[in-house]
Amino acid sequence: AAIIEFKNVNKYYGKLHALKNINLSIEEGQVVSIIGPSGSGKSTLIRTMNGLEKINSGQLIVTGYDIADKKTDLNKIRKNVGMVFQHFNLYENHTVLENITLAPKIVLHRDNEENHQIAMDLLKKVGLADKADYYPRQLSGGQKQRVAIARSLAMKPKAILFDEPTSALDPEMIQDVLNVMKLVADEGLTMVVVTHEMGFAREVGNRVIFFDGGEVIEDEKPDVFFDNP
Ligand code: ADP
Ligand code: ADP
């Protein structure tokens, strides 16, 4: 079933036509890599998927909610659809553990003991169990991004959106983050990933969208996409 569905979606920044009549359906469990030149609208596309950017026309349904309907509570969508940003966006004044437990506590009212247990399990999964009491400033970029992924997973989302998750990282840290993303993909979570990492697009993702000029230019399985020069 479709978890994210665009029908004739348009987005403008003033006169700039950033998304041009997008028709796109993302199915449950797909790992979609969105690639394309800088300024082509990839970030805009992904940010519309949890309401960080408004659309100007068309219809966008995310986990059953119509995102342009004023009656839709965007928090419900954001509960279902997590986001991992290029620059991590961690809470700097909270520890790593608190970064992960905060939203489940406030939004989901998760019991403290269970919340702590889930967070610690996730920190183990991303290889940072020993950093639970650190503050973000004490971590490398790669470690911060792995905390951000754990934070997203703690909400038990139906999908996670990644906006250039490795673009701000030193090269030696990129692989650690990609390995965690592969773990998440292997568990069957729906992922939409704006990325320049062709290895990820080819080997982890199962769908590649080439975006340019505000439009989907190609939409293929990785083996087809990468065999066509
Ligand atoms: P990409 O992620 O592919 O680099 P973006 O979605 O960031 O592309 O940007 C698409 C186009 O929209 C670019 O021309 C960019 O300058 C423009 N743009 C992005 N965000 C804004 C904004 N908030 N206001 C005005 N123009 C924007
Ligand atoms: P990214 O490529 O990660 O989207 P950018 O530097 O393109 O980073 O954009 C950073 C921020 O500035 C984003 O919030 C984007 O919406 C905004 N932005 C991008 N282009 C423009 C623009 N031409 N005018 C105003 N805001 C913009």
Side-chain angles (χ1 to χ4, degrees):
I3 186 162
I4 297 170
E5 188 153 32
F6 290 77
K7 285 183 191 157
N8 304 314
V9 168
N10 289 281
K11 162 75 182 172
Y12 295 85
Y13 294 111
K15 285 182 191 156
L16 179 80
H17 199 172
L19 299 180
K20 297 178 182 162
N21 204 46
I22 304 296
N23 286 286
L24 179 63
S25 182
I26 293 171
E27 307 291 317
E28 260 172 55
Q30 283 186 336
V31 177
V32 184
S33 303
I34 300 179
I35 65 177
S38 180
S40 59
K42 305 180 301 295
S43 181
T44 300
L45 180 75
I46 202 170
R47 288 164 65 90
T48 61
M49 296 180 195
N50 71 348
L52 284 174
E53 296 285 356
K54 286 196 161 54
I55 62 172
N56 296 103
S57 67
Q59 195 181 45
L60 174 50
I61 308 288
V62 180
T63 63
Y65 297 102
D66 181 346
I67 220 159
D69 184 337
K70 288 189 174 55
K71 293 193 291 291
T72 299
D73 178 1
L74 288 180
N75 289 320
K76 287 189 176 149
I77 293 170
R78 289 176 187 155
K79 209 151 93 175
N80 287 334
V81 180
M83 182 107 179
V84 172
F85 299 91
Q86 187 174 349
H87 294 288
F88 329 119
N89 297 16
L90 296 177
Y91 311 118
E92 295 294 329
N93 297 320
H94 289 276
T95 65
V96 163
L97 186 69
E98 288 163 356
N99 264 273
I100 299 171
T101 54
L102 216 53
K105 178 188 171 82
I106 293 169
V107 179
L108 306 179
H109 310 289
R110 185 176 288 155
D111 162 79
N112 278 338
E113 199 175 326
E114 187 192 4
N115 201 14
H116 186 275
Q117 191 59 55
I118 290 173
M120 285 309 301
D121 287 347
L122 286 169
L123 279 175
K124 272 188 210 121
K125 178 189 284 203
V126 303
L128 294 171
D130 58 333
K131 301 286 191 283
D133 296 324
Y134 282 48
Y135 285 85
R137 65 176 175 276
Q138 299 173 292
L139 303 181
S140 71
Q143 292 170 335
K144 284 188 214 185
Q145 197 60 301
R146 286 184 279 148
V147 172
I149 294 170
R151 178 177 62 177
S152 254
L153 290 170
M155 292 295 284
K156 300 194 186 293
K158 296 187 163 78
I160 302 184
L161 312 173
F162 296 78
D163 193 356
E164 300 206 17
T166 60
S167 295
L169 302 180
D170 293 334
E172 65 270 23
M173 295 171 181
I174 291 177
Q175 199 54 49
D176 290 342
V177 171
L178 293 175
N179 289 344
V180 168
M181 290 170 65
K182 182 172 177 357
L183 278 182
V184 176
D186 288 345
E187 287 175 4
L189 199 68
T190 309
M191 296 166 66
V192 185
V193 185
V194 174
T195 187
H196 299 287
E197 294 293 331
M198 294 305 138
F200 178 90
R202 182 198 278 264
E203 284 141 37
V204 181
N206 47 38
R207 181 173 175 188
V208 180
I209 291 177
F210 182 75
F211 208 74
D212 197 8
E215 297 181 278
V216 174
I217 304 297
E218 283 194 66
D219 183 354
E220 300 280 8
K221 289 194 185 311
D223 53 351
V224 176
F225 183 86
F226 288 104
D227 283 343
N228 286 338

